[in-house]
Amino acid sequence: MEKSNLKSAELLEQMRIHLASGAGKEIAEKVGFVYQLNISPKRLGVDEEVFAVDLKKGVVSKGPYEGKPDATFCFTDDDFIAISSGKLNPQMAFITGKMKIKGSMSAALKFTPDIFPKASKL
C-alpha cells in the first residue's frame, strides 16, 4: 500500500498481511462483507484517506472500493484505532457521532474488533 501518515494505515497494513497469510480465510468466511473506511487525521471528513477492506476475498487496499461496498465508515484516525483495539465500543462511537455509517447496518454490525489482528504496539 502507498505511504500514509495515519496510525490506522499501519494497522490496516498488518491486517493486509494477516489476511494474506491464510488467517483471512476464516475471517472472510465469518464476515463476508466489503467495507470502505474513510479515515481523517483529526476532524471527521477533512483530508480523508480511503481504504477498502474486502472480507469476501480477504484483501485490504488503499483507495475507494471498486464497486459498491456493503458498508462505509467515516471516523478519525484516533477513533478508528480505539474501535479496532476494543477501547471504544463501535455502537457508542456511532451513537456519539464519532463514527458515521452508510450502507447495510447488518454488514456494519459485523465490523467488530475481532476482525483485526491483535497489534503488538499500537
Side-chain angles (χ1 to χ4, degrees), residues 4-12 77-78 80-81 122:
S4 168
N5 292 325
L6 297 175
K7 289 178 278 190
S8 304
E10 192 178 316
L11 175 65
L12 289 164
D77 195 24
D78 288 340
F80 173 71
I81 293 292
L122 279 177

Side-chain angles (χ1 to χ4, degrees), residues 15 19 28 35 39 41 48 75 115 119:
M15 185 175 194
L19 292 172
Y35 300 108
I39 305 171
E48 288 180 331
F75 21 48
I115 68 173

Side-chain angles (χ1 to χ4, degrees), residues 3 5 8 27 40 45 66-67 71 80 87 107:
K3 191 74 181 118
N5 292 325
S8 304
I27 293 170
S40 305
E66 305 268 332
F80 173 71
K87 291 187 178 110

Side-chain angles (χ1 to χ4, degrees), residues 37-53:
L37 311 178
N38 299 357
I39 305 171
S40 305
K42 295 279 178 232
R43 279 196 10 243
L44 209 54
V46 178
D47 299 325
E48 288 180 331
E49 288 189 35
V50 179
F51 298 86
V53 179

Side-chain angles (χ1 to χ4, degrees), residues 1 4 12 28 31 33 37 41 50 53-54 77 79 93 116 121:
M1 280 194 292
S4 168
L12 289 164
V31 179
F33 290 111
L37 311 178
V50 179
V53 179
D54 184 339
D77 195 24
D79 289 337
F116 295 98
K121 58 178 183 19

Side-chain angles (χ1 to χ4, degrees), residues 49-105:
E49 288 189 35
V50 179
F51 298 86
V53 179
D54 184 339
L55 294 177
K56 287 179 180 168
K57 296 179 183 161
V59 177
V60 177
S61 57
K62 189 149 193 303
Y65 180 68
E66 305 268 332
K68 190 172 188 254
D70 294 297
T72 299
F73 296 91
C74 301
F75 21 48
T76 64
D77 195 24
D78 288 340
D79 289 337
F80 173 71
I81 293 292
I83 290 167
S84 61
S85 66
K87 291 187 178 110
L88 176 60
N89 178 297
Q91 285 85 3
M92 285 308 297
F94 178 70
I95 291 166
T96 59
K98 291 184 174 197
M99 174 172 72
K100 295 190 180 342
I101 304 170
K102 290 183 210 140
S104 163
M105 278 298 157

